Amino acid sequence: MAISKIDAVTATDNTGMVLLDTETISSSTTSVIWNSSIITTTYSDYIIRIHSYEPVSDGYRLRLYPSTDNGSSFVDGNTQGQFFRRITNSGGNTGLEDDNQDDFIFIGGGAGNDDGEGGSFRIDLIGLTQANCKKYVTYDHIGKEPTDAYHWVGGAMINTTSAINYLKLQNSSGNITQGTFSLYGVNR
């Protein structure tokens, strides 16, 4: 049976991304935080888009810290893996990385801080606010480290079945110097 008509109100109300918050960093900042006033059970899935991110210092990696208690503590024992590809005209290289983290998840690789370096990200957070199930993260990061451009693709499991209600993005060392960080809720 073919669909004869699509109701535009139903199509826009039941699917797609809903922008919840945008944080624009233009001077040295420790972290970007979304708390329980923004991360609610209205959505079970969330997407973070980061454009024109740069760290204050070369080579540091962005970390995601998930919390079930609005930032009082962070979930321990998260696992992740990623692969990367160097972007070059002279033959690239590919690598794999697996990691167990304490209370954070690395999102991609290091980034440079000179003009034309830094990077952009898309982070999918699946089942984030659902109770009684694991939470999963997939991410894409394209950016330039001090000498080469890379593309990282990875995934992680947040080690809890409790609902996440707080997210913090912070560098592995030093501050964030610039970037636009947007959080979207995803209708199912």
Side-chain angles (χ1 to χ4, degrees):
M1 173 183 216
I3 298 175
S4 61
K5 156 176 128 171
I6 296 177
D7 179 339
V9 173
T10 302
T12 58
D13 285 348
N14 292 328
T15 61
M17 299 178 357
V18 177
L19 179 62
L20 302 175
D21 184 60
T22 296
E23 300 292 329
T24 302
I25 307 299
S26 57
S27 62
S28 184
T29 301
T30 303
S31 58
V32 174
I33 293 171
W34 291 291
N35 64 25
S36 62
S37 67
I38 297 172
I39 300 173
T40 67
T41 56
T42 301
Y43 304 100
S44 64
D45 300 346
Y46 288 80
I47 292 174
I48 300 171
R49 303 241 5 205
I50 304 169
H51 180 68
S52 299
Y53 154 83
E54 280 186 15
V56 169
S57 301
D58 263 339
Y60 290 111
R61 296 170 75 179
L62 196 59
R63 293 175 173 179
L64 175 71
Y65 292 84
S67 174
T68 61
D69 57 11
N70 207 31
S72 294
S73 63
F74 297 100
V75 178
D76 279 332
N78 305 305
T79 56
Q80 75 176 93
Q82 69 179 5
F83 65 91
F84 61 89
R85 177 82 177 158
R86 185 170 56 139
I87 301 168
T88 178
N89 289 331
S90 61
N93 64 357
T94 302
L96 297 171
E97 297 177 343
D98 295 314
D99 225 340
N100 291 322
Q101 304 301 336
D102 290 328
D103 58 359
F104 62 88
I105 297 164
F106 278 124
I107 303 298
N113 67 341
D114 293 330
D115 287 342
E117 294 181 355
S120 293
F121 304 75
R122 178 186 165 117
I123 306 163
D124 290 309
L125 303 143
I126 303 160
L128 195 68
T129 61
Q130 290 180 313
N132 303 318
C133 69
K134 292 288 186 181
K135 287 83 179 92
Y136 298 95
V137 180
T138 63
Y139 56 87
D140 244 319
H141 168 210
I142 189 161
K144 188 166 187 226
E145 288 187 312
T147 55
D148 292 307
Y150 288 88
H151 178 213
W152 292 268
V153 177
M157 184 179 72
I158 300 173
N159 187 32
T160 186
T161 56
S162 298
I164 300 295
N165 64 4
Y166 182 100
L167 295 170
K168 177 172 76 170
L169 289 164
Q170 183 173 311
N171 283 338
S172 54
S173 181
N175 286 347
I176 300 166
T177 192
Q178 75 174 29
T180 302
F181 296 73
S182 298
L183 179 69
Y184 296 85
V186 180
N187 289 317
R188 286 189 171 189

